[in-house]
Each structure stands twice: as structure tokens, then as C-alpha cells.
């Protein structure tokens, strides 16, 4: 029988945190970074702070 992983409760990020992450991504794009680099920075910003 396969074991089921327990689901951990996560809290959704606040609107302020999301706004900060988006601003960071937009700043990177303005510097000439790629969209992939901006997306990864946004992802890291949200993961590290939640």
C-alpha cells in the first residue's frame, strides 16, 4: 500500500509581499535581465518569505 504524504498547511502570501516580488521582477527586466531570471527572482522572493 502506498503511503500518502501529509499535506502541510501553507498560508497565502500577503498582497504587500506579492507587490514587492513583482517590483523586484520588473526591476530586473528594466536592467536587461531575461524574463526567466525575473520569474525565478519572484519565485525565490515569495518562497523565502512565506
Amino acid at each position: 500500500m502506498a503511503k500518502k504524504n501529509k499535506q502541510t498547511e501553507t498560508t497565502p502570501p500577503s498582497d504587500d509581499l506579492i507587490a514587492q516580488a513583482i517590483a523586484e521582477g520588473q526591476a530586473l527586466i528594466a536592467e536587461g535581465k531575461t524574463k526567466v531570471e525575473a520569474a525565478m527572482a519572484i519565485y525565490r522572493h515569495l518562497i523565502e518569505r512565506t
Side-chain angles (χ1 to χ4, degrees):
M1 178 184 259
K3 291 183 180 181
K4 291 185 180 180
N5 292 337
K6 283 187 178 180
Q7 290 184 351
T8 57
E9 291 185 29
T10 59
T11 56
S14 67
D15 291 342
D16 186 45
L17 182 62
I18 293 170
Q20 290 174 357
I22 291 171
E24 183 179 341
Q26 288 174 333
L28 289 172
I29 290 172
E31 292 175 5
K33 303 287 183 180
T34 66
K35 290 179 184 177
V36 170
E37 291 171 311
M40 287 305 299
I42 290 170
Y43 177 77
R44 281 191 298 270
H45 187 90
L46 294 174
I47 293 300
E48 291 173 356
R49 289 162 179 84
T50 55

